[in-house]
Amino acid sequence: MLTKKELKEYCDNARENYLAHISIDCVVFGFHEGLLKVLVLTMKNGGECYLPGGFVRKKEPIEMAANRILKERTGLDEIFLQQFHVFGDPERSKEHFEMYKDMIPAKQNWFNNRFLTIGYYALVDFSDAIPNPDPLSVACTWCDLNDVPELRLDHTLILKTALDTLRLQLNYQPIGYNLMPKEFTMPELQKLYETILDKKLDRRNFQRRMLGFGILNRSEQPRKGGAHKAPYLYSFDLENYKAALREGFKGGW
Amino acid sequence: MLTKKELKEYCDNARENYLAHISIDCVVFGFHEGLLKVLVLTMKNGGECYLPGGFVRKKEPIEMAANRILKERTGLDEIFLQQFHVFGDPERSKEHFEMYKDMIPAKQNWFNNRFLTIGYYALVDFSDAIPNPDPLSVACTWCDLNDVPELRLDHTLILKTALDTLRLQLNYQPIGYNLMPKEFTMPELQKLYETILDKKLDRRNFQRRMLGFGILNRSEQPRKGGAHKAPYLYSFDLENYKAALREGFKGGW
């Protein structure tokens, strides 16, 4: 449990070091072999669940703040976070003010501020990333998307918006680099798409569209071993992949 | 020219009414018959050029703030603005502080704050929208995209990012409703895409893809008059159009 003294120190420190009215929240999706999960923090102080989040230092670029926050809260480092939306409902952080209002005068209460939050998301291989909670959290866990506990504030909306954005981006930008092994089969790549979209895709259409994007190289040697006809192996053409990240797929206008 | 007294009043008023550290900037693209323009403000105080922008009131939802700011600065009302990016470089608004630092002590200077700015963009028919500058601006003008004057702060970057976003979105979301007449020909719609993308498109590919999205209804009657074979007329299927705005094109995964 946070004491009054600790809360006052936290608020004084926040006022001194962070920009008022702005916070950052991170939606980290984890993929591994056909499973999609999301990173959730459980706080010591009451067991409430949140997305990992925090504040921006007075002279810190926001992208750096997002990465620092994720590292501080979860122990995860060097994850490429992508900005996706600002949540600006005037009432969105009121619950935090209410939570502390009996412990500290409103004027001293950092959470008496209205906070706009900038949402960032990332997609990582969860088998590579071992979360490690900070001192304020009792746990930092990969939760199945269908089994996420109730999140506080507007974090359920933030999670939903991130997932919608990711699914929409599948239509015009490549994903998979950093998630797939160096070489992979077409069905393995299809599984990634199916997991994120939460639906089955037609094998032939998938292959046709994927090849049409021009971001894959086919290896000359099919995969060895196995009883069936050996499947072709693919790898990402990194130059075309990066161009497609910047400009959208070639299949575009 | 702004006097010291006016500047002090402006700063006192801003501190009392607006959230610190947050601003909003609007990129309003105007399209009409094959021309693409952008709305630029010229300030009285020195003639500097900016995108229309302003601050968020303490209890105001950010979407409402964006619309209010656009209306106050340009006279344009009921324009659907879409959030696209937050610009958070710590130095991005320093120039504003420098501009006023000899006129007002730093502590009283509202522009001594670091401001993150939330970028919004819109695409409207510029023949419908008559801009009307506010008392701080000497002019509010539709500028050709190739002929935009030098913009202050990071507004050139904001404009470029908005244009890149719009072009990328053409690949997965419909546009054109509110820009095209109720009924239009395929070449008329193609012209809209070509203008935004600043390149020629293949007529047959355009038609095939456009029809594939399932957002157009073809009228039974071709357009009358004219010497050539009468072209088919199309209108947007509003239900499918809106679904595609939410979920991306059907042609997606």
Side-chain angles (χ1 to χ4, degrees), chain B:
Chain B
M1 227 13 220
L2 212 62
T3 65
K4 282 188 190 188
K5 184 163 171 286
E6 283 168 339
L7 180 61
K8 184 172 180 305
E9 276 172 13
Y10 182 92
C11 290
D12 290 347
N13 173 58
R15 246 187 317 277
E16 192 180 324
N17 291 300
Y18 299 120
L19 294 180
H21 305 302
I22 296 162
S23 64
I24 283 180
D25 286 297
C26 304
V27 183
V28 184
F29 295 111
F31 173 80
H32 187 69
E33 290 183 356
L35 289 174
L36 190 61
K37 297 173 183 272
V38 65
L39 209 55
V40 172
L41 277 186
T42 310
M43 305 305 282
K44 278 187 181 162
N45 206 13
E48 300 94 351
C49 293
Y50 293 94
L51 297 169
F55 304 104
V56 182
R57 286 189 186 138
K58 290 190 174 167
K59 302 199 167 180
E60 183 180 38
I62 52 175
E63 275 68 31
M64 214 179 273
N67 280 287
R68 172 185 53 76
I69 287 164
L70 189 65
K71 178 154 193 212
E72 284 175 4
R73 293 282 179 286
T74 70
L76 298 183
D77 204 0
E78 297 192 7
I79 286 180
F80 177 69
L81 286 159
Q82 196 165 339
Q83 216 194 82
F84 69 97
H85 196 73
V86 181
F87 298 83
D89 184 324
E91 303 286 298
R92 64 169 293 284
S93 51
K94 205 178 165 186
E95 187 183 324
H96 258 172
F97 166 64
E98 300 284 336
M99 194 183 293
Y100 297 118
K101 74 174 178 180
D102 296 333
M103 290 173 69
I104 193 168
K107 237 192 128 97
Q108 288 175 25
N109 186 352
W110 170 251
F111 299 100
N112 193 22
N113 278 320
R114 169 182 171 192
F115 287 98
L116 274 60
T117 200
I118 310 174
Y120 281 81
Y121 82 85
L123 185 57
V124 300
D125 185 330
F126 69 75
S127 69
D128 288 346
I130 312 296
N132 177 22
D134 75 338
L136 284 175
S137 328
V138 67
C140 172
T141 334
W142 290 111
C143 293
D144 285 352
L145 264 189
N146 302 322
D147 204 24
V148 173
E150 198 193 326
L151 300 175
R152 303 308 288 267
L153 303 177
D154 55 354
H155 287 196
T156 299
L157 173 66
I158 296 176
L159 170 57
K160 183 187 178 307
T161 308
L163 190 60
D164 288 346
T165 305
L166 177 62
R167 286 174 175 168
L168 204 53
Q169 290 198 345
L170 283 195
N171 290 316
Y172 64 96
Q173 281 188 328
I175 63 157
Y177 187 70
N178 283 336
L179 288 181
M180 303 303 290
K182 191 172 174 319
E183 291 192 311
F184 46 86
T185 64
M186 197 58 83
E188 285 165 356
L189 187 58
Q190 182 172 337
K191 187 73 194 164
L192 171 64
Y193 279 69
E194 290 181 336
T195 305
I196 295 172
L197 294 167
D198 195 22
K199 67 176 182 193
K200 288 273 164 208
L201 299 173
D202 177 75
R203 187 181 62 80
R204 278 192 302 183
N205 278 343
F206 182 83
Q207 169 148 339
R208 184 180 48 75
R209 281 196 71 188
M210 218 53 225
L211 293 176
F213 293 150
I215 56 165
L216 294 178
N217 291 322
R218 196 172 83 180
S219 159
E220 305 214 346
Q221 300 293 328
R223 185 173 285 174
K224 278 166 193 155
H228 302 282
K229 182 171 173 289
Y232 284 113
L233 287 174
Y234 296 90
S235 58
F236 287 114
D237 179 320
L238 221 51
E239 198 175 321
N240 289 354
Y241 187 99
K242 284 181 183 165
L245 270 187
R246 277 194 313 272
E247 298 151 26
F249 282 130
K250 266 196 201 162
W253 298 106

Side-chain angles (χ1 to χ4, degrees), chain A residues 7 24 38 41 52 77 102 144 157 208 247 253:
Chain A
L7 180 62
I24 282 181
V38 66
L41 278 185
D77 204 357
D102 297 333
D144 285 350
L157 172 66
R208 185 180 46 76
E247 297 151 26
W253 297 107

Side-chain angles (χ1 to χ4, degrees), chain A residues 5-204:
Chain A
K5 185 164 170 284
E6 284 168 337
L7 180 62
K8 183 172 180 305
E9 275 171 14
Y10 182 93
C11 291
D12 290 348
N13 174 59
R15 245 188 317 276
E16 194 179 324
N17 291 299
Y18 299 120
L19 294 181
H21 306 302
I22 296 163
S23 64
I24 282 181
D25 286 296
C26 303
V27 183
V28 184
F29 294 111
F31 173 80
H32 187 66
E33 290 182 355
L35 289 173
L36 190 62
K37 296 173 184 274
V38 66
L39 209 55
V40 173
L41 278 185
T42 311
M43 306 307 281
K44 277 185 181 161
N45 206 15
E48 300 95 351
C49 292
Y50 294 94
L51 298 169
F55 304 104
V56 183
R57 287 191 185 136
K58 290 191 175 169
K59 300 197 168 181
E60 185 180 36
I62 52 174
E63 276 66 30
M64 214 179 271
N67 279 286
R68 173 184 54 76
I69 287 164
L70 189 64
K71 179 155 193 212
E72 283 174 5
R73 292 281 180 286
T74 69
L76 298 182
D77 204 357
E78 298 193 8
I79 285 180
F80 177 71
L81 286 159
Q82 194 165 341
Q83 216 194 83
F84 68 96
H85 196 73
V86 181
F87 298 83
D89 184 324
E91 302 286 298
R92 63 169 294 283
S93 51
K94 203 177 168 188
E95 188 184 323
H96 259 172
F97 167 65
E98 299 283 335
M99 196 183 291
Y100 297 118
K101 72 172 183 190
D102 297 333
M103 290 173 70
I104 193 167
K107 236 190 131 96
Q108 288 174 26
N109 187 353
W110 171 250
F111 299 100
N112 193 22
N113 278 320
R114 169 183 170 191
F115 287 99
L116 273 60
T117 201
I118 310 174
Y120 280 82
Y121 82 86
L123 185 56
V124 301
D125 185 330
F126 68 74
S127 70
D128 288 346
I130 313 295
N132 177 23
D134 76 337
L136 283 175
S137 326
V138 67
C140 171
T141 333
W142 288 111
C143 293
D144 285 350
L145 265 189
N146 301 323
D147 203 23
V148 173
E150 196 192 327
L151 300 175
R152 303 305 290 267
L153 304 177
D154 55 354
H155 287 196
T156 298
L157 172 66
I158 295 175
L159 170 57
K160 183 185 179 304
T161 308
L163 190 59
D164 288 346
T165 306
L166 178 62
R167 286 174 175 167
L168 204 53
Q169 291 199 344
L170 283 195
N171 290 317
Y172 65 98
Q173 282 188 326
I175 63 155
Y177 187 70
N178 285 334
L179 288 179
M180 303 304 288
K182 190 173 174 323
E183 293 192 312
F184 46 85
T185 64
M186 197 58 85
E188 284 164 357
L189 187 59
Q190 183 172 338
K191 187 74 195 166
L192 170 64
Y193 277 70
E194 289 181 338
T195 304
I196 294 172
L197 294 167
D198 196 23
K199 67 177 180 191
K200 288 274 167 208
L201 300 174
D202 178 73
R203 188 181 62 78
R204 280 193 299 184

